[in-house]
Amino acid sequence: QSSDFANANFPVDQEGRTLHLGCKRGEVANRILSVGSMDRALMIADQLQGAEPGAPLFQHLSGRGFLTITGLYQGTPVSIITTLMGMPNMDFVVREARAVVEGQMAVIRLGTCGALRPPAKLGSFMVASPGAVCVRRDPDAWTFDDGRPHYTVSAPVPADPQLVQLLVAACTEHGGADSVVQGLDATADSFYSSQGRTGGHFEDVNEAVIEQLMAAHPQLVSLEMETFHLLDLARCSRGGIKAAAFCIAAAERYSNRFISKEQIQLCVPFFPGS
Ligand code: R1P
Ligand code: URA
């Protein structure tokens, strides 16, 4: 990747590679699976084929740690992109992929999340069917100490209903109807404070976060860190991006159990149909 970037508004290098993903036109497919970790991306990439028999998959690891893998899934071009963690990283992935892809895009997030209530349990497929809300820590609540809430919750943003239907069908086919839990997701701006995790080192004022969220949103089933932003960008994409998300439940917030890395890997090796 060249180090010379032009256009401070949307920087690309002389080959047209974007600043953070480092991809250019022709390297990213219009169907994208966004996953949180490189392990997950590589595991799923085993199910892709190269453009020609025996040809390698396209792979690019950017200096910022975004891994893009492009190949064919049952003959259809697909990219798996490692989105890392949090809404700012989802922003890089969606905007920079959009900049180098022609035409309509479909983006699905396969993440991990905390499950908020039964019947969701460790390993469940949590499909954000109605969409997601966003939970943000408001630093002004500490600055002004005037009684404003320490955490704000946005209105829901919907997922694409057609993609949701396909995801539910694929998850059901893979794990059976009992493995699938549909409900509203909450995307938080921290794994800790705004997901109601407590500890003594910070004054987080978050003991009631989960209880209040669940009371305000009876359909809420999961907590994680990217889905809302993906759906929000799709909503603002002037129709160019359809998006949906599902997560493997890695934590049971109601029992305090957490899944092992091996257990997550056992849940992952499938790839929903196009
Ligand atoms: C936190 O451990 C990370 O796990 C979840 C959260 O959204 C956050 O990114 O998703 P991923 O497993 O997709 O990264
Ligand atoms: N990812 C999250 O963001 N939260 C959890 O509880 C588990 C995975």
Side-chain angles (χ1 to χ4, degrees), residues 163-215:
L163 289 181
V164 164
Q165 214 182 350
L166 290 168
L167 267 183
V168 170
C171 292
T172 306
E173 190 184 322
H174 179 74
D178 289 352
S179 70
V180 184
V181 176
Q182 299 186 60
L184 187 70
D185 172 71
T187 296
D189 63 0
S190 165
F191 182 80
Y192 298 102
S193 62
S194 46
Q195 290 192 31
R197 290 190 160 90
T198 53
H201 293 297
F202 299 92
E203 188 193 308
D204 281 326
V205 198
N206 65 347
E207 289 74 11
V209 162
I210 290 186
E211 197 182 307
Q212 286 170 358
L213 265 175
M214 288 173 69

Side-chain angles (χ1 to χ4, degrees), residues 113-116 120-121 124-128 179 181 221-222 245-249:
C113 68
L116 291 175
K121 55 180 191 291
S124 293
F125 291 123
M126 314 289 289
V127 184
S179 70
V181 176
V221 291
S222 60
F246 71 124
C247 289
I248 294 162

Side-chain angles (χ1 to χ4, degrees), residues 65-93:
F66 293 103
L67 174 66
T68 302
I69 306 174
T70 301
L72 300 177
Y73 178 71
Q74 297 180 353
T76 300
V78 170
S79 290
I80 301 168
I81 304 185
T82 305
T83 306
L84 308 171
M85 289 180 283
M87 290 186 270
N89 281 328
M90 181 58 85
D91 201 69
F92 287 127
V93 167

Side-chain angles (χ1 to χ4, degrees), residues 35-37 40 84-86 109-113 191 224-226:
V35 300
S37 74
R40 205 178 303 153
L84 308 171
M85 289 180 283
R109 159 165 158 76
L110 166 50
T112 62
C113 68
F191 182 80
E224 49 70 68
M225 298 178 64
E226 296 82 12

